[in-house]
């Protein structure tokens, strides 16, 4: 270990550092290994190892010491990485979102890693009926008492660890729910966007069958772009964000005829 690495913040391990590196590169578009080494107070060799691992995961590209952002579809498809990225923000958002859940409700969760963070809080709100197409969520929901679990079938997509396709859309449209909680790749210009059309079809169906739908997004979604327009923000009863959203972006969100809630705040 170099002196520089010894002086680095001890609580930020390799996974935490890689998550921040990915956020940095995805937000700015590119960064050099030297810049990242200085920013994270580690050796250039350590940064190269981090970049090699992030490239292996499909999160970014590395060439001649420069890391560049992969298309957002590749990033969003990597469920293993998404489950670790911005985890504290997602936990705050999910805990706040549970304010919209009451005992006896039927709840629909998409295959986002943000909605997944609602699961630890649902046991206290039982009895509930909870449906999802996310396999990892189904496994955890099955452990909860007084929660009736509905699996939304379809073709299994290993990249997303979820069930997708027309069969999943049909399964969603055959039911009605009190509330739906969804997330997405990017938000901007009054719309939610997603990189993959097969995901868009399922999320649109979920919003259509819920009496009230809630969009859960952390602050990084406001600095990204995606290919397919999902829905206008006013289609959601609320947009729940984390406290990391800058005041300027918060004001822009509130111009879209939608209730914007900041996790952890009551105002």
């Amino acid at each position: 270990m170099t002196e520089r690495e010894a002086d680095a913040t001890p609580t930020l391990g390799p996974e935490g550092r890689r998550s921040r590196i990915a956020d940095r590169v995805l937000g700015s578009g590119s960064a050099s290994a030297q810049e990242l080494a200085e920013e994270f107070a580690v050796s250039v060799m350590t940064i190269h190892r981090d970049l090699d691992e992030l490239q292996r995961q499909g999160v970014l590209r590395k060439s001649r010491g420069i890391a560049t952002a992969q298309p957002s579809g590749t990033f969003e498809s990597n469920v293993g990485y998404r489950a670790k990225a911005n985890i504290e923000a997602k936990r705050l958002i999910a805990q706040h979102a549970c304010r919209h859940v009451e005992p006896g409700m039927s709840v629909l969760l998409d295959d986002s890693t943000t909605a997944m963070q609602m699961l630890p809080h649902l046991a206290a709100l039982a009895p509930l009926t909870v449906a999802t197409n996310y396999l990892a969520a189904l496994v955890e929901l099955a452990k909860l008492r007084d929660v009736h679990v509905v699996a939304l079938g379809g073709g299994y997509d290993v990249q997303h660890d979820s069930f997708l396709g027309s069969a999943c859309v049909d399964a969603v449209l055959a039911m009605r729910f009190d509330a739906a909680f969804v997330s997405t790749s990017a938000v901007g210009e009054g719309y939610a966007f997603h990189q993959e059309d097969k995901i868009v079809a399922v999320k649109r169906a979920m919003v259509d069958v819920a009496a009230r739908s809630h969009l859960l997004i952390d602050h990084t979604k406001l600095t990204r772009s995606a290919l397919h327009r999902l829905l206008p923000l006013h289609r959601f009863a609320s947009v729940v964000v984390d406290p990391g959203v800058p005041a300027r972006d918060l004001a822009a969100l509130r111009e879209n005829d939608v209730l914007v809630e900041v996790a952890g705040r009551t105002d």
Side-chain angles (χ1 to χ4, degrees), residues 106-170:
S106 56
V107 177
L108 182 54
L109 305 179
D110 72 352
D111 62 351
S112 67
T113 54
T114 305
M116 177 77 170
Q117 293 301 320
M118 295 176 64
L119 270 56
H121 308 286
L122 295 183
L125 297 166
L128 294 169
T129 294
V130 182
T132 185
N133 63 325
Y134 190 8
L135 181 57
L138 289 168
V139 172
E140 295 304 313
L141 285 166
K143 301 174 184 177
L144 302 182
R145 294 184 60 183
D146 298 322
V147 174
H148 175 57
V149 183
V150 179
L152 300 171
Y156 179 69
D157 187 301
V158 66
Q159 285 186 312
H160 298 86
D161 192 30
S162 64
F163 300 94
L164 300 169
S166 59
C168 183
V169 171
D170 289 344

Side-chain angles (χ1 to χ4, degrees), residues 1-9 34 37-44:
M1 179 181 289
T2 67
E3 290 184 6
R4 180 181 236 168
E5 289 174 300
D7 291 336
T9 304
Q34 184 63 48
E38 293 175 0
E39 184 172 336
F40 291 94
V42 295
S43 68
V44 174

Side-chain angles (χ1 to χ4, degrees), residues 29-111:
S30 66
S32 71
Q34 184 63 48
E35 289 171 340
L36 293 169
E38 293 175 0
E39 184 172 336
F40 291 94
V42 295
S43 68
V44 174
M45 185 177 295
T46 295
I47 290 296
H48 276 293
R49 287 196 293 268
D50 290 337
L51 296 180
D52 287 341
E53 174 59 21
L54 289 170
Q55 180 170 254
R56 186 192 68 79
Q57 294 179 14
V59 176
L60 49 75
R61 298 187 188 95
K62 175 191 170 190
S63 178
R64 298 180 180 179
I66 303 294
T68 56
Q70 283 276 40
S72 58
T74 302
F75 172 73
E76 289 296 327
S77 295
N78 192 309
V79 69
Y81 180 79
R82 286 189 294 121
K84 299 174 184 176
N86 306 306
I87 189 66
E88 290 305 320
K90 291 175 180 177
R91 285 172 178 162
L92 280 173
I93 291 167
Q95 184 176 12
H96 185 99
C98 285
R99 297 182 183 187
H100 297 290
V101 179
E102 298 179 359
M105 288 179 64
S106 56
V107 177
L108 182 54
L109 305 179
D110 72 352
D111 62 351

